[in-house]
Amino acid sequence: MDLTPLLSWACIVFTVGMFSTGLTDLRKMRESKSADNIQFLPFLTTCLNNLGWLFYGILKMDRTIIVVNVIGALLQILYIVMYFLYTKQKRLVTLQALAAAAVLICGWLYFTTFLTEGDARLQQLGLTCSVFTVSMYLSPLTDLVAIIRSGNVQVLSFPLTVATFFTSTAWVLYGLQLNDYYITVPNTPGIFTSLIRFYLFWKFASTSQSLPSYKPLHV
C-alpha cells in the first residue's frame, strides 16, 4: 500500500498548522502596537530554512516540499514585516535582515553557479538544509535545561509542542517512504525534543499558575 499521498497531506496540514502558531504573536503585536517580548530571529531563521527547502523541493520536483515551504516562507515574511512595523529596534532588525539576505544570496550563487550537476547540487543542498534544520530543533535545548532547573514550564507552548511532534513525525515517515534521508534525519530531533517537552509538562505543569505562552524560538 502506497502511503505517500496520505503522508504528503499530513506533512502539509501539520506543518502549516505549526507555522500558523506565529499568528498568536502577530495578534499580540497588533493589539499592543508593540513587538516587545517577541523574538525576531526565529522568524528570520525559519524564513531562511523555508527558502532553502523550497529550492530543494524544486530541484527534487517534490510538490509536498514546495507547497509547505511556499506557505511557510510567505507566513514568515508576513511576521517579519509586521515585526518591523511595531519594533522600536528598526536598525537592528534591518541589519539582521540584510545579513540574512546576504547569506541567502551567497547560497543561491554557490548552488546555481558553482554546482551545475543535478545530483551533486541536490545532495549538498539537502545536507545544508538538514544541518540548518537540526540546529533549529536543537537550539532550544538550553531553555529546556533552564526549565528543568526552575521547574517552570510557562515559557513553553503546549499546542506548539503537539504541532511540532506531529509535524516531525509526519516528515520522518514521509522521508522513509521516499528513502530520502535528507528529510528523515533532520526531522528526527524534533520528535525527541517534543517528547522531552511532553515530559516536562507532565512533571512541572501542575506547579504552574498560568497557561503557557507561545515562544517562537521552538520550532
Side-chain angles (χ1 to χ4, degrees), residues 30-116:
R30 292 188 61 185
E31 291 178 350
S32 64
K33 305 297 181 182
S34 171
D36 294 344
N37 300 320
I38 296 177
Q39 299 182 42
F40 174 70
L41 284 180
F43 297 142
L44 193 60
T45 55
T46 302
C47 185
L48 286 177
N49 195 43
N50 287 145
L51 293 174
W53 281 111
L54 175 59
F55 188 26
Y56 181 82
I58 292 173
L59 293 181
K60 191 178 176 65
M61 294 183 291
D62 188 305
R63 185 178 62 181
T64 303
I65 297 177
I66 294 173
V67 170
V68 164
N69 287 285
V70 165
I71 297 174
L74 290 176
L75 283 173
Q76 300 308 318
I77 291 172
L78 173 63
Y79 302 152
I80 289 170
V81 170
M82 296 302 293
Y83 189 97
F84 182 80
L85 290 177
Y86 292 118
T87 186
K88 299 176 182 177
Q89 299 178 323
K90 286 184 170 54
R91 177 181 173 82
L92 177 60
V93 169
T94 300
L95 291 176
Q96 291 174 337
L98 289 175
V103 171
L104 186 64
I105 293 172
C106 290
W108 174 264
L109 290 175
Y110 175 74
F111 285 109
T112 57
T113 304
F114 296 98
L115 292 177
T116 57

